[in-house]
């Protein structure tokens, strides 16, 4: 049985998108290596904050049907550069029970292990559902601060949380909470500014995501606010040189509880649209590495909608924040106009079925970004199908397999490991 300190996968829970025929042997092997990673490795593999992606990679491989041998090999490829966390400090662990002292250790990777053990013990006492509601979704000062941190680091904490929720693994959820705690919170003015503007507007935002993408692209000030030399193009570009403009556009996206399923699919489709369409012919087809994370994160919102312990209010809020950050990320790369013809006319090096693409990414030696992308696009195809008649959904029909091929050849040669 899976607990806050024990990983135990079941073939009954193979993920939002998974292939058929996943074996108990693969579940056992994935559980084994994920447990080793949980027990022995920091969430950052260096002090510069580069993320340990082992949990993401192994769970994705598992969902895509990797064998025990393939799972072990990919784990071995990536464990070599991980590092151990510092020992737990009992004094810090005690301080974390005090809401005031809790804040003292935030945004410092030194305390990852302390936060991890703290959240594990909280889950043991209260259950992961109550812990996530208390520390992330409650809406008080501490929870709102943690929610902001969930979206930090190019979405890595909420991606990690999504994997935990999707595969029903409290230990992965505890890692996600600890990961969020050691990220920073500079996105807070943006999220709260957009939320306040949306809530106080006399005319609720009803624009589609693709309409907002078009408007952002046409806004010269906003779409040129980020510069090549900016250390972080959202923080040092968009939110420094055009914060009011960005908040204005972001506040125009809102969700009603009755449309959560459709809006979640719209978010997924729009993210794949601007990521796959951001090409620069005649240069080689490539997917922007940062845009890719916003696609890879999209699959988890389908899982969030299925959790009875996440209120409708919080499901709406999670989705609105995701889309508002998607819009900001789109602007941060100078809002390239998505070129659908680059998708429809793409001629890959070697055409194959989706099954063939999946087999190739399982064998590819990286830290999981390619496999996550392939699975997220496949999931996008499924959730978009009921709505492809709508003009809000610009990725349709045969574009999906084209995007899988583009993603495969775009990511397979080499990708960064952040």
């Amino acid at each position: 049985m899976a607990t806050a300190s024990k990983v135990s996968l079941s073939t009954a829970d193979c993920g939002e998108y998974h292939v058929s025929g996943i074996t108990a042997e693969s579940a056992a092997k994935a559980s084994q290596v994920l447990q080793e990673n949980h027990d022995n490795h920091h969430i950052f593999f260096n002090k510069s904050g580069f993320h340990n992606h082992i949990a993401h990679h192994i769970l994705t491989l598992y969902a895509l049907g990797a064998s025990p041998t393939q799972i072990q090999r990919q784990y071995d490829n990536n464990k070599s550069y991980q590092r151990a966390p510092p020992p737990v400090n009992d004094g810090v662990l005690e301080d974390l029970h005090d809401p005031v002292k809790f804040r003292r250790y935030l945004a410092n990777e030194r305390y990852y292990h302390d936060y991890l053990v703290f959240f594990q013990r909280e889950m043991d006492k209260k259950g992961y559902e109550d812990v996530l509601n208390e520390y992330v979704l409650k809406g008080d000062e501490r929870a709102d601060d943690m929610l902001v941190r969930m979206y930090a680091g190019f979405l890595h904490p909420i991606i990690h949380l999504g994997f935990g929720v999707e595969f029903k693994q409290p230990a992965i959820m505890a890692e996600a909470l600890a990961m969020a705690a050691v990220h920073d919170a500079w996105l807070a003015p943006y999220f709260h500014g957009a939320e306040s503007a949306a809530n106080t507007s006399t005319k609720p935002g009803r624009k589609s995501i693709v309409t907002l993408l078009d408007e952002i692209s046409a806004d010269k000030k906003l779409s040129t606010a980020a510069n090549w030399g900016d250390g972080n193009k959202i923080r040092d570009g968009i939110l420094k040189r055009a914060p009011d403009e960005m908040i204005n556009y972001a506040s125009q996206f809102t969700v009603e509880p009755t449309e959560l399923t459709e809006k979640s699919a719209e978010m997924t489709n729009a993210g794949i649209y601007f990521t796959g369409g951001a090409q620069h012919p005649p240069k080689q087809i490539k997917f922007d590495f940062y845009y890719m994370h916003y696609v890879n994160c999209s699959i988890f919102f389908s899982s969030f909608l299925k959790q009875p312990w996440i209120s409708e209010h919080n499901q709406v809020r999670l989705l609105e924040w995701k889309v508002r950050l998607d819009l900001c990320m789109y602007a941060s790369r100078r809002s390239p106009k998505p070129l659908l013809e680059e998708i429809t006319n793409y001629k890959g090096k070697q055409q194959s079925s989706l099954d063939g693409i999946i087999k190739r990414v399982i064998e590819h030696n990286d830290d999981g970004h390619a496999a996550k992308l392939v699975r997220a696009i496949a999931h996008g195809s499924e959730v978009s199908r009921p709505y492809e008649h709508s003009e809000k959904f610009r990725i349709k029909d045969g574009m999906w397999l084209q995007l899988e091929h583009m993603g495969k050849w775009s990511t397979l040669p080499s990708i960064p490991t952040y």
Side-chain angles (χ1 to χ4, degrees), residues 73-143:
R73 183 175 64 80
Q74 293 289 14
Y75 175 70
D76 290 342
N77 285 343
N78 285 289
K79 75 174 184 178
S80 62
Y81 55 87
Q82 305 302 327
R83 64 184 176 120
V88 170
N89 183 315
D90 290 336
V92 173
L93 206 55
E94 182 63 30
D95 283 350
L96 296 181
H97 290 277
D98 182 327
V100 175
K101 293 179 181 177
F102 181 94
R103 297 197 297 267
R104 183 182 299 169
Y105 304 100
L106 292 167
N108 188 333
E109 59 88 22
R110 167 67 181 79
Y111 301 109
Y112 166 73
H113 199 188
D114 302 291
Y115 278 109
L116 175 62
V117 173
F118 171 76
F119 286 121
Q120 287 175 322
R121 293 179 181 178
E122 287 287 276
M123 287 181 181
D124 287 341
K125 288 187 292 185
K126 304 172 183 177
Y128 70 82
E129 301 94 336
D130 285 351
V131 170
L132 285 165
N133 271 303
E134 178 180 351
Y135 286 93
V136 181
L137 303 175
K138 188 176 180 180
D140 61 9
E141 183 180 355
R142 180 175 61 182

Side-chain angles (χ1 to χ4, degrees), residues 286-287 292 361 364 366 369-371 373-374 406-415:
K286 285 287 183 183
F287 282 13
M292 192 191 309
V361 295
H364 177 56
D366 76 340
H369 286 89
L373 180 65
V374 166
M406 292 168 68
K408 175 185 71 174
W409 293 110
S410 171
T411 58
L412 290 190
S414 63
I415 58 174

Side-chain angles (χ1 to χ4, degrees), residues 138-198:
K138 188 176 180 180
D140 61 9
E141 183 180 355
R142 180 175 61 182
D144 274 4
D145 178 74
M146 282 289 287
L147 184 60
V148 169
R149 295 173 197 274
M150 273 287 170
Y151 288 82
F154 300 104
L155 297 172
H156 280 86
I158 199 165
I159 289 172
H160 208 92
L161 178 65
F163 274 113
V165 171
E166 183 186 10
F167 291 90
K168 296 184 171 61
Q169 298 301 311
I172 304 298
M173 299 181 215
E175 291 174 2
L177 284 166
M179 182 196 291
V182 298
H183 277 76
D184 47 33
W186 52 259
L187 281 166
Y190 173 63
F191 281 131
H192 296 314
E195 191 166 67
S196 176

Side-chain angles (χ1 to χ4, degrees), residues 205-279:
R206 305 303 302 155
K207 290 182 179 178
S208 69
I209 301 171
V210 291
T211 296
L212 289 166
L213 293 173
D214 291 344
E215 292 181 1
I216 289 169
S217 183
D219 187 319
K220 185 173 182 180
K221 179 179 178 181
L222 181 56
S223 61
T224 60
N227 294 328
W228 179 258
D230 293 334
N232 181 302
K233 292 172 178 57
I234 293 178
R235 182 191 62 209
D236 306 323
I238 300 299
L239 300 184
K240 181 178 179 181
R241 302 186 187 98
D244 294 341
E245 290 79 4
M246 191 66 248
I247 286 171
N248 176 52
Y249 287 111
S251 69
Q252 295 178 58
F253 177 81
T254 60
V255 178
E256 294 297 326
T258 56
E259 56 187 11
L260 271 162
T261 300
E262 181 177 353
K263 287 292 186 181
S264 183
E266 182 186 343
M267 173 273 295
T268 302
N269 194 287
I272 294 170
Y273 163 67
F274 75 72
T275 299
Q279 304 301 330

